[in-house]
Amino acid sequence: MRKGLTIHTHEIKLIVYSFIGLILLGTLLLLMPFAHYGEIRFIDALFTSTSAVCVTGLIVKDTPVDFTPIGQVIIMLLIQIGGLGYMTAVTFLAVMRRQKLGHRDRLILQESLNYPGMDGLVRFLKIVFGSIFIIEVIGMIVLTLRFWIDMPIEKAAWFGIFHAVSAFNNAGFSLFSDNMMGYQRDIIINITIPTLIILGGLGYMVLLEIYNYRRGQLIRISTHTKIVLIMSSILILLAMGLLLSLEWNNAFKSMASHEKVLAAWFASVNYRTAGFNTIDISTLTDSNLFFATFFMMTGGSPGGTAGGIKTTAVALALIGVWYTLRGNTSAHVFHRSISPYQINKAYAIIFVASIYVVVSTIILSEVERLPFLRILFETTSAFGTVGLSTGNGGVLSYSALFSDWGKFNIIVLMLMGRVGVFAFTIIIVGKAVQSRIKYAEGKVII
């Protein structure tokens, strides 16, 4: 047991270090003269690289203005590799070269993909890459055809490729300085971008299960997939309801009724996973900004391209609370029991994540001397790798107003949200030690 746990811990560390290495490589490339226009400071290149690798979308440099076409390609590649996970991409290349994977390689791949076992791992990896290719290509074609109406075909093709990759990987980077605000009323953009975001955020295992179920190869959808689909739907509809009720006569004031619904739909999808926006986030009410932090903290689902504490963790915590309040010692859902360990792990993830975000917000608020709610929105967006921001008064994220230390704080939060709370905490705390001692149970009054 102890040996297996140690190996597992080593693989987690290797995955985290691979993200850090990719971020540093991206930083060096973005600092090269061919990648940017004018001057760029190290902290801003590091911030941009981290935001791309961690598929966040917060920006302190205007992507289409401050970076050359080569720089934009670098950012897109960082998004693609970061969305997959560096170790996953490297392992896939090894598989394509027909290299045999050792036990350690399989452990790394299993951890990176959140795959439940070792059987069929390589086959699953190939299916993942095939699915990504098909989904992104379809997105590229649709977006290219739409952008072709407004620009030359060569530019439209590049914009279609970049935004399809950015959307599927839940990154939120855009080649438009105003993000997607110019397409606020466009039905094609408002359907294509959110669809790509949702598909990327559900997780590869969920997509594969749905595909196999529709083909008749599965008799029953797993409990994990059911929770992901139901929780994702509830969160999108709940966010839409809050946006429409709180912004009907505020941010949506000048829109027709159907345009308000379209804007609320687009924003609700991006609340949890991606940083695209068709409305000015700074115009939202304080109530909406506050409620948005809960959606951003939740993020997407395990095994996908989104960050945050994950929909499954929130669902298990809610299930645990429900059964605890009913005085039931065992929890179950969809006629399947849920182990106390899973529920306790969900509680721990939510608690630790909340501590990280709250502490960062308080420190930034005191150091930067900026409005507390806007800093809370920015830190939550960074941790959830969402990318939405109230803005710096221009086209950049609110982080552009921060000092170098403040930007570094956001960088750490983005990395933490992408690799996961437990993985990041293991790097700080160290590996767990299996205890052979069992103490008598103590009674504590609550």
Side-chain angles (χ1 to χ4, degrees), residues 106 110 129 147 154 213 248 323 374 390 404 441:
R106 291 176 180 271
Q110 178 191 4
F129 272 79
F147 291 141
E154 298 84 3
Y213 182 76
W248 190 271
Y323 279 98
R374 294 190 176 239
T390 54
D404 290 354
E441 183 178 341

Side-chain angles (χ1 to χ4, degrees), residues 4-82:
L5 181 61
T6 304
I7 293 176
H8 178 71
T9 303
H10 285 164
E11 314 326 318
I12 291 176
K13 287 184 177 181
L14 188 57
I15 291 170
V16 175
Y17 294 151
S18 72
F19 271 101
I20 294 174
L22 182 59
I23 288 169
L24 293 176
L25 175 61
T27 302
L28 293 176
L29 290 174
L30 291 176
L31 285 170
M32 295 293 110
F34 54 75
H36 61 86
Y37 296 113
E39 297 293 327
I40 184 170
R41 299 166 60 236
F42 175 82
I43 189 66
D44 292 334
L46 178 64
F47 190 103
T48 303
S49 179
T50 305
S51 186
V53 172
C54 298
V55 291
T56 305
L58 293 175
I59 57 172
V60 292
K61 287 289 183 180
D62 189 358
T63 308
V65 174
D66 294 322
F67 292 101
T68 66
I70 295 177
Q72 294 168 17
V73 170
I74 292 171
I75 290 173
M76 185 190 71
L77 292 176
L78 291 175
I79 291 171
Q80 186 70 82
I81 299 173

Side-chain angles (χ1 to χ4, degrees), residues 288-357:
N288 223 327
L289 291 177
F290 177 72
F291 282 124
T293 60
F294 292 96
F295 294 101
M296 292 192 294
M297 277 286 288
T298 301
S301 302
T305 56
I309 58 180
K310 302 295 188 291
T311 54
T312 47
V314 173
L316 289 181
L318 291 174
I319 291 170
V321 169
W322 171 252
Y323 279 98
T324 299
L325 292 177
R326 293 181 63 186
N328 200 326
T329 56
S330 60
H332 61 270
V333 62
F334 304 124
H335 305 291
R336 292 291 186 273
S337 61
I338 306 296
S339 72
Y341 172 77
Q342 285 185 300
I343 292 177
N344 289 335
K345 184 177 180 181
Y347 290 151
I349 289 173
I350 294 172
F351 177 77
V352 174
S354 299
I355 292 296
Y356 282 141
V357 171

Side-chain angles (χ1 to χ4, degrees), residues 41 43-44 47 58-61 357 359-383 388-393 396-414:
R41 299 166 60 236
I43 189 66
D44 292 334
F47 190 103
L58 293 175
I59 57 172
V60 292
K61 287 289 183 180
V357 171
V359 170
S360 294
T361 302
I362 292 173
I363 293 174
L364 281 172
S365 181
E366 291 299 315
V367 173
E368 304 297 337
R369 295 296 178 181
L370 293 169
F372 181 84
L373 182 58
R374 294 190 176 239
I375 289 180
L376 174 62
F377 190 92
E378 194 81 358
T379 55
T380 308
S381 180
F383 175 80
L388 286 179
S389 178
T390 54
N392 69 331
L396 303 179
S397 300
Y398 199 61
S399 297
L401 300 176
F402 293 173
S403 63
D404 290 354
W405 188 92
K407 290 177 182 176
F408 184 75
N409 194 320
I410 296 296
I411 288 170
V412 174
L413 282 173
M414 288 191 287

